[in-house]
Amino acid sequence: MLEIEKITKTFLKGTLNEHTALRGLSLTLDDGDFVTVIGSNGAGKSTLFNAIAGSFLCDSGRILLDGKDITYQKEHKRAKQIGRIFQDPMKGTAPDLTVEENMALAYSKSTRNILASAHRKKDLAFFSEMLKKLNMGLEDRMRTKMGQLSGGQRQAVTLLMSTMVTPKLLLLDEHTAALDPVTAQKVLDITKEIVAENHITTMMITHNINQALNTGNRTIMLSAGQIVLDLKGEERAKITIPELMEMYQEKAGKALDNDRMLLSEV
């Protein structure tokens, strides 16, 4: 479904600050896979997402989505097939537009490409039904500006906006990290429901090791722009956090040094 073949990306080539962020990374996802992604700071997690989303072109390698080569496809074209949610609840929406206007924009991009036509009664009814599923009362606040919602409410609406028209791939870039624990869990539960209901192939970056091992069906760990661990099935189900740390150190040649991750989960 998603095929990444030996992609490489070096920033600031030829300067003192040259940095190779992706080093011949290869990864294949099957249709419906839900893969969690973990690794130390600077391991290449967000860079991998940026490469998939088309935020930059890789120096070498190929990226195929549903059998189509998108290696050189522009970001705005990939966005019609790839949904993405960021850590910052302020990203991905227009704060000065209402909930209904934001949803209409997202819907029209994937369907008619004309904002005005998205404001038909049946579309508004559709948006309302989608919002009801969140159990946040937002179906009664469709004319509230997005900037007036809480971070959790905003992330939940952004999630709906990214999946109203089912994407071929959903990228979740620590989308619950900026939320308080209770709200983060609620948004994660909503995420799981939407992904399962629509059978969406998903990748989720997280700093939470327990969350990584208990969400989806597969976990990969990155170090220095490469995948050093790929866990699934019985191996993933049985592994403990100390065993994971030990395995990571053996494969990466260094200990996991993300303090936030270690303090949160060990």
Side-chain angles (χ1 to χ4, degrees):
M1 195 280 166
L2 175 68
E3 298 173 69
I4 299 174
E5 301 176 356
K6 298 181 179 179
I7 58 172
T8 298
K9 181 62 181 180
T10 299
F11 295 100
L12 302 173
K13 275 187 178 181
T15 72
L16 292 175
N17 295 317
E18 180 174 310
H19 172 62
T20 300
L22 298 173
R23 302 171 183 269
L25 186 150
S26 295
L27 175 67
T28 299
L29 269 63
D30 293 328
D31 185 40
D33 269 351
F34 191 154
V35 180
T36 53
V37 184
I38 51 178
S40 299
N41 294 326
K45 304 182 296 295
S46 289
T47 305
L48 172 60
F49 275 24
N50 286 334
I52 296 170
S55 301
F56 55 73
L57 296 180
C58 294
D59 301 329
S60 61
R62 293 202 309 160
I63 302 174
L64 291 87
L65 182 63
D66 204 19
K68 181 180 180 180
D69 192 334
I70 62 169
T71 307
Y72 300 105
Q73 192 176 73
K74 293 187 180 298
E75 185 172 17
H76 72 274
K77 289 189 176 180
R78 298 192 203 189
K80 292 185 178 182
Q81 305 176 79
I82 300 174
R84 187 173 184 183
I85 304 177
F86 297 89
Q87 176 177 334
D88 184 356
M90 300 299 285
K91 283 189 175 181
T93 57
D96 291 329
L97 295 182
T98 65
V99 172
E100 119 185 358
E101 288 168 340
N102 272 276
M103 294 182 75
L105 271 173
Y107 192 53
S108 62
K109 281 181 183 178
S110 299
T111 54
R112 295 176 293 274
N113 293 312
I114 302 172
L115 175 59
S117 65
H119 274 77
R120 296 181 302 187
K121 285 185 178 180
K122 70 174 185 178
D123 292 333
L124 297 179
F126 171 59
F127 300 158
S128 179
E129 286 302 310
M130 294 288 287
L131 290 167
K132 282 180 183 178
K133 295 179 181 180
L134 299 179
N135 292 316
M136 291 180 169
L138 292 175
E139 66 274 14
D140 298 320
R141 299 185 62 189
M142 289 176 61
R143 295 191 177 180
T144 300
K145 289 185 177 181
M146 283 290 292
Q148 295 177 0
L149 301 184
S150 69
Q153 290 171 332
R154 192 160 181 163
Q155 284 296 64
V157 174
T158 304
L159 184 62
L160 285 187
M161 289 167 57
S162 297
T163 56
M164 279 191 300
V165 177
T166 305
K168 292 183 178 179
L169 178 68
L170 180 63
L171 302 177
L172 306 172
D173 195 345
E174 291 199 78
H175 72 307
T176 63
L179 308 176
D180 66 83
V182 174
T183 305
Q185 186 59 54
K186 182 166 186 176
V187 171
L188 182 60
D189 289 342
I190 292 169
T191 301
K192 291 177 179 178
E193 290 173 11
I194 290 175
V195 168
E197 182 179 340
N198 296 284
H199 193 68
I200 303 173
T201 305
T202 303
M203 297 180 70
M204 182 180 81
I205 296 173
T206 177
H207 69 271
N208 184 315
I209 298 179
N210 280 326
Q211 187 181 88
L213 294 175
N214 291 288
T215 303
N217 65 308
R218 183 176 172 190
T219 297
I220 61 173
M221 292 192 76
L222 269 63
S223 177
Q226 296 177 309
I227 295 173
V228 293
L229 285 177
D230 189 344
L231 304 171
K232 52 189 170 183
E234 189 174 346
E235 180 185 27
R236 178 179 185 258
K238 290 185 175 181
I239 197 167
T240 64
I241 291 177
E243 288 172 342
L244 180 65
M245 296 295 190
E246 184 178 345
M247 192 179 296
Y248 175 87
Q249 183 163 1
E250 179 183 341
K251 297 286 187 180
K254 62 180 181 180
L256 192 65
D257 61 4
N258 187 325
D259 291 338
R260 181 168 55 134
M261 183 184 293
L262 295 175
L263 289 172
S264 296
E265 304 310 318
V266 177

